[in-house]
Amino acid sequence: MALIAETVPHPRSPSEEDAYVSWYGRVLGWTLAGGPAAQLVTGTRFDVLELPADAGGRLLRRPVDTGPVAVMGRRMRFLVAPGSAEELDGLLDWLEWGPVALDLTALGVGGRITAPVPPGRPQGSPQGAAVWLRPPEPGCEAFLPSLPGTGQGAGAGLRGTGPDLVRLVAAAATECHRARLRRRAAPARPVGAVGQPRFS
């Protein structure tokens, strides 16, 4: 199994921290947690589905509605409605993916992700930093994929017209499985050869 290096971003300057606080706090109304790199807390305004970047890149090309999407290193993060993390295992079982190792995880209450670089920064992003592929907008919580309303049952989401957690998880599981099969079939890379993820 190839080792994957997780790039640690350099500490941000006070002016960079101010830009993060301004955008996340004033524009989105989200709270940043402190640390060497600013963190977003999951489980209140959103949960996160996390999967390998190669699978996530293919998922983005599918006709499935998503909320905001970020990437950091070789992991892609899809923002979903609060409470979704608790539903992931049950959804995977219901979709008959339960016994399959997918590398599809969820972060909910008590979790944190590195805050991606706010969009539109003229100086660009440091290599390896978390960045938005689909940035959030004010009020984005209303558009995050979620389960159908109370009393509709899990299958009702398959007929819905809005962002749908069932469809997103089904597509994510399929792409994670396909990515795993592609990686098994690909020739082994030399140890230490770590490149940028390809989304094709």
Side-chain angles (χ1 to χ4, degrees), residues 66-83:
T66 72
V69 180
V71 66
M72 180 174 181
R74 295 183 178 270
R75 302 294 290 175
M76 201 171 286
R77 294 162 176 164
F78 289 72
L79 272 59
V80 292

Side-chain angles (χ1 to χ4, degrees), residues 63-132:
V64 177
D65 290 332
T66 72
V69 180
V71 66
M72 180 174 181
R74 295 183 178 270
R75 302 294 290 175
M76 201 171 286
R77 294 162 176 164
F78 289 72
L79 272 59
V80 292
S84 298
E86 298 172 11
E87 304 291 341
L88 180 62
D89 289 342
L91 268 179
L92 290 173
D93 285 341
W94 185 76
L95 293 164
E96 300 183 356
W97 284 106
V100 182
L102 294 172
D103 198 11
L104 174 63
T105 60
L107 294 170
V109 175
R112 292 184 178 192
I113 61 169
T114 301
V117 176
R121 294 184 64 217
Q123 65 267 41
S125 309
Q127 186 174 5
V131 294
W132 289 111

Side-chain angles (χ1 to χ4, degrees), residues 19-30 45 119 136-140:
Y20 274 58
V21 171
S22 176
W23 191 69
Y24 283 106
R26 295 188 189 102
V27 175
L28 298 178
W30 295 358
R45 304 296 289 271
E137 297 177 0
C140 78

Side-chain angles (χ1 to χ4, degrees), residues 51-66 69-71 74-78 133-134 167-183 185-186 197-200:
L51 59 157
D54 56 349
R58 288 178 180 264
L59 176 56
L60 286 175
R61 290 195 290 274
R62 281 175 162 251
V64 177
D65 290 332
T66 72
V69 180
V71 66
R74 295 183 178 270
R75 302 294 290 175
M76 201 171 286
R77 294 162 176 164
F78 289 72
L133 299 178
R134 293 183 178 171
R167 287 182 179 181
L168 179 61
V169 169
T174 299
E175 293 303 340
C176 284
H177 183 60
R178 288 175 176 171
R180 184 169 173 245
L181 294 176
R182 281 192 304 273
R183 286 191 292 271
R198 297 177 66 93
F199 301 144
S200 57

